[in-house]
């Protein structure tokens, strides 16, 4: 195994934490909006690109291409751990949802981005000094 420099190791830790913590969030979005695909695009400050998606989101042939039918719902630029965090929806199904459902999705997407940014910004080793935040649903 190769040693990662400290910033690369911190990025990998943040990506792993986001992936493990928020796959359930995508499942919740899928349950609440069963005909819409959702994805999260994470870009690190070093230029790495990671994609997380629920079962309904079409996947790209290569992650550098992004989601092929992804429509940006919400985005955060220049966070502490990521240069960008985007929540995307499958544009083919997103066009048919009601304005109310679109507003709910936007609220959920903003909450999800805030949680990813907050939780992945907690310094490693803080342990008990950091309040425990549960990522159990998208809220809304």
């Amino acid at each position: 195994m190769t040693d990662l420099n400290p910033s690369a190791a911190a990025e990998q830790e943040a990506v792993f934490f986001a992936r493990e913590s928020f796959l359930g969030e995508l499942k919740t979005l899928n349950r609440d909006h069963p005909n819409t695909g959702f994805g999260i695009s994470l870009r690190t400050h070093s230029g790495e690109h990671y994609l997380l998606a629920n079962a309904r989101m079409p996947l790209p042939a290569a992650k550098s291409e992004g989601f092929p039918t992804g429509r940006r719902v919400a985005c955060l630029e220049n966070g502490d751990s990521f240069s960008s965090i985007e929540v995307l929806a499958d544009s083919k199904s997103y066009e048919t949802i009601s304005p109310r459902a679109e507003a709910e999705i936007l609220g959920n997407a903003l909450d999800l981005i805030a949680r990813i940014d907050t939780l992945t910004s907690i310094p490693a080793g803080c342990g008990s000094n950091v309040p425990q935040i549960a990522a159990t649903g998208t809220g809304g």
Side-chain angles (χ1 to χ4, degrees), residues 62-101:
K63 68 180 175 182
S64 61
E65 298 171 8
F67 293 107
T69 61
R71 173 183 172 193
R72 183 186 295 170
V73 175
C75 180
L76 171 71
E77 298 285 336
N78 297 316
D80 288 336
S81 296
F82 298 103
S83 65
S84 72
I85 302 171
E86 291 181 294
V87 175
L88 300 107
D90 175 21
S91 60
K92 292 178 182 176
S93 58
Y94 197 74
E95 293 170 0
T96 62
I97 64 171
S98 71
R100 179 181 171 140

Side-chain angles (χ1 to χ4, degrees), residues 14-115:
V15 168
F16 176 78
F17 184 78
R19 180 178 289 140
E20 293 301 311
S21 298
F22 300 105
L23 284 175
E25 304 291 328
L26 289 172
K27 289 178 184 176
T28 300
L29 278 171
N30 192 44
R31 184 194 65 228
D32 293 345
H33 307 282
N35 296 320
T36 304
F38 293 99
I40 301 172
S41 173
L42 304 170
R43 290 191 188 269
T44 65
H45 290 287
S46 67
E48 294 294 321
H49 189 197
Y50 299 90
L51 302 175
L52 309 170
N54 69 0
R56 298 213 182 266
M57 186 64 154
L59 299 175
K63 68 180 175 182
S64 61
E65 298 171 8
F67 293 107
T69 61
R71 173 183 172 193
R72 183 186 295 170
V73 175
C75 180
L76 171 71
E77 298 285 336
N78 297 316
D80 288 336
S81 296
F82 298 103
S83 65
S84 72
I85 302 171
E86 291 181 294
V87 175
L88 300 107
D90 175 21
S91 60
K92 292 178 182 176
S93 58
Y94 197 74
E95 293 170 0
T96 62
I97 64 171
S98 71
R100 179 181 171 140
E102 186 172 357
E104 289 174 11
I105 290 169
L106 176 59
N108 293 341
L110 292 172
D111 287 345
L112 179 55
I113 287 173
R115 268 184 270 184

